[in-house]
Amino acid sequence: MSESKRRIILHIDMNAFYCSVHAAEQPELYRGKPTAVAGSVELRKGIVVTSSYEARARGVRTGMTVHQAMKACPELIVISPDFDLYRKYSRGFMRIAGNYTPLIEAVSIDECFLDITGSSQFGTPLEIAETIRRRVLEELTLPCSIGVAPNKLLAKMASDMRKPNAVTVLRRREVPALLWGKPCQTLYGVGSKTADKLLRLNIRTIGELAAADERVLTERFGVYGAWMKQAANGLDDAPVEPLAEDPKSIGHTTTLPADLTGREQYRRVLLNLADQTTRRMRHRRMVCSTVQISIRDPDMRTITRASTLKVPTDSLEEVYETACRLMDTHWKAGNPVRLLGIILQSLAPKEETPVQLDLFSYEQKPKRDRLVTAMDRLRDKYGENAVLTAGMLGDDPSSLIRNKKARGTSLQKDFLREASTGDENDY
């Protein structure tokens, strides 16, 4: 590829994003102090999702329990997560990035790739990256690291090289000097288990992986082996893919802060994903006919499995139970999970979709719909945490769904009685 046609890719990685957002919102409480965001502040067994750089300097690490983190850093300030706030700031830095190219691929809530090959009117690649970094810091009070490279792989590697709040350029010709001496596991896309398997082939470093016999790698790892050799040589032709909302699907994925192996652990994640996706679908007044799940392991291998429903639905419970069945059928218990996703497909407008009601539940459906509408309105007004299922607070999600069905009429009556005491516009 000639120099004139070479791609220019940026990878933006927000530094200690959750903690940085809280410091931006309430600097008098959190800026410059050791902080951590944990899933359960009240329960000391809750897990640290992320920590500030001040906390990391004192030994606090992602995946620790709150008890362990407090032991490492007694002055640690533990903060409950606020995902509405994180999404607000995520939209903010994506908006800034979008000023320089329409080719943006959001990888997660706190990172994205940009293809700025055609953005020379805004300056050199380094000038564009520095401008974005400065604007994010000045307008949002958030630090970010930006990698500049000819492909997505090297851009990601570059953004990890200097943190926080820095811009790093990584050219392919610099790969031997800067990367080949590092362990294989530091190569983006190579997990610890794969690194262990490579070690058994006497491949310890990225340089040794780059020089390895591709035939041997393919025999051992399949097409993934060929990809690893290419990546070790700094080669990657994956395009930046803007994720426009598909009108026929609504989905949400989450990369987990630590690998999950327990059935009830990942069921709790599926419950939250089902809640988020069905809520978005109801806002669009749609129903789905297919539920798909995505599962990724620590070695970055991803599988997707789907199930077609007998009756279109917008129900959290039905989507959750379908996702759990797919997970139980297609994922071996005890295998580690790094990423989970739920995608609702074959969407159709609810008003235009004929639904065959069950003989024994048709009387309850209008009540259930009013209940769900009231809950959605509460969350619209007071935030996502205004109404939570007990499964999201730590109980066994499956048993809660069963118990809810067993006493659903009573719960609906209680909630609707409360909802009907105020003006409809309050919800």
Side-chain angles (χ1 to χ4, degrees):
M1 183 179 290
S2 68
E3 193 72 29
S4 61
K5 294 182 180 179
R6 184 169 298 164
R7 293 187 303 157
I8 305 165
I9 308 299
L10 306 186
H11 180 259
I12 303 178
D13 187 4
M14 305 304 294
N15 303 140
F17 182 57
Y18 294 172
C19 289
S20 296
V21 165
H22 288 289
E25 279 287 298
Q26 296 178 286
E28 69 284 0
L29 294 180
Y30 304 125
R31 183 168 296 166
K33 298 178 181 179
T35 62
V37 171
S40 176
V41 175
E42 294 77 15
L43 299 175
R44 292 173 68 81
K45 64 181 181 181
I47 301 299
V48 171
V49 176
T50 191
S51 57
S52 67
Y53 286 92
E54 293 81 4
R56 296 177 194 184
R58 292 166 171 80
V60 178
R61 295 289 181 268
T62 296
M64 282 184 168
T65 65
V66 172
H67 176 72
Q68 292 170 329
M70 294 295 294
K71 188 174 181 180
C73 179
E75 66 272 31
L76 183 70
I77 304 171
V78 184
I79 309 168
S80 295
D82 185 341
F83 292 100
D84 286 334
L85 189 62
Y86 306 149
R87 282 189 285 267
K88 169 188 168 184
Y89 276 84
S90 179
R91 289 191 294 269
F93 87 80
M94 296 282 186
R95 173 186 53 79
I96 292 172
N99 290 160
Y100 302 91
T101 177
L103 301 177
I104 302 176
E105 179 181 339
V107 180
S108 66
I109 196 171
D110 62 347
E111 61 177 312
C112 64
F113 288 104
L114 281 66
D115 188 331
I116 60 166
T117 306
S119 302
S120 58
Q121 67 270 30
F122 298 108
T124 67
L126 187 58
E127 288 171 342
I128 294 172
E130 284 285 1
T131 300
I132 293 173
R133 183 201 61 79
R134 177 181 49 77
R135 285 189 59 188
V136 171
L137 186 63
E138 292 177 354
E139 297 176 26
L140 303 177
T141 326
L142 296 179
C144 67
S145 294
I146 302 180
V148 185
N151 57 51
K152 291 168 70 174
L153 170 75
L154 295 183
K156 170 66 177 175
M157 299 287 289
S159 68
D160 286 337
M161 287 180 173
R162 294 170 59 212
K163 291 184 176 182
N165 201 34
V167 173
T168 304
V169 178
L170 179 58
R171 303 170 181 86
R172 188 173 168 241
R173 65 175 179 269
E174 297 169 329
V175 167
L178 297 179
L179 299 184
W180 278 4
K182 296 180 180 293
C184 290
Q185 191 173 342
T186 60
L187 182 65
Y188 178 60
V190 176
S192 58
K193 287 193 173 183
T194 299
D196 289 341
K197 294 174 183 176
L198 289 169
L199 190 59
R200 290 196 286 272
L201 297 174
N202 291 320
I203 299 173
R204 297 173 177 80
T205 66
I206 296 176
E208 291 172 344
L209 180 58
D213 187 330
E214 184 172 331
R215 179 181 56 82
V216 173
L217 292 173
T218 303
E219 288 176 354
R220 183 67 180 83
F221 300 98
V223 293
Y224 181 53
W227 176 87
M228 285 193 292
K229 181 177 174 67
Q230 293 285 305
N233 282 285
L235 299 173
D236 175 32
D237 59 3
V240 172
E241 298 178 318
L243 300 178
E245 185 82 42
D246 185 348
K248 291 299 180 183
S249 69
I250 288 176
H252 192 84
T253 61
T254 182
T255 300
L256 307 169
D259 297 343
L260 299 184
T261 56
R263 185 169 182 261
E264 296 310 326
Q265 288 180 312
Y266 57 65
R267 282 197 161 204
R268 191 163 295 116
V269 177
L270 289 175
L271 180 60
N272 279 274
L273 292 171
D275 176 61
Q276 293 184 51
T277 51
T278 53
R279 181 157 145 71
R280 286 167 55 196
M281 183 169 59
R282 289 192 299 271
H283 268 284
R284 290 175 172 265
R285 301 180 186 277
M286 304 189 88
V287 291
C288 70
S289 295
T290 302
V291 175
Q292 176 179 297
I293 64 169
S294 296
I295 314 168
R296 181 177 297 164
D297 69 13
D299 288 329
M300 306 298 286
R301 287 187 287 265
T302 304
I303 69 166
T304 60
R305 297 292 185 270
S307 177
T308 300
L309 306 173
K310 293 181 179 179
V311 178
T313 187
D314 63 0
S315 163
L316 158 65
E317 292 88 348
E318 292 178 39
V319 168
Y320 168 70
E321 290 178 347
T322 303
C324 287
R325 282 198 301 273
L326 287 167
M327 189 86 180
D328 291 344
T329 302
H330 299 287
W331 196 254
K332 184 178 179 182
N335 282 0
V337 177
R338 173 43 58 108
L339 173 146
L340 280 173
I342 289 181
I343 303 94
L344 308 181
Q345 300 174 329
S346 303
L347 303 187
K350 186 173 183 177
E351 293 80 2
E352 300 173 13
T353 304
V355 176
Q356 183 177 350
L357 299 178
D358 184 89
L359 177 64
F360 301 102
S361 62
Y362 75 95
E363 291 183 340
Q364 299 303 324
K365 190 175 186 306
K367 297 178 181 179
R368 174 199 164 276
D369 287 347
R370 293 202 305 275
L371 169 66
V372 171
T373 298
M375 292 172 67
D376 284 344
R377 286 174 177 166
L378 281 170
R379 294 168 76 179
D380 286 342
K381 183 170 184 178
Y382 298 108
E384 295 301 315
N385 293 331
V387 181
L388 296 175
T389 71
M392 297 173 193
L393 298 175
D395 291 304
D396 176 350
S398 300
S399 65
L400 286 159
I401 293 292
R402 290 192 297 271
N403 291 340
K404 180 178 179 182
K405 285 186 173 180
R407 53 194 176 87
T409 302
S410 175
L411 286 173
Q412 291 172 357
K413 286 181 179 178
D414 290 344
F415 194 96
L416 289 171
R417 188 181 301 115
E418 294 295 326
S420 65
T421 59
D423 186 85
E424 183 178 355
N425 293 326
D426 288 340
Y427 299 99

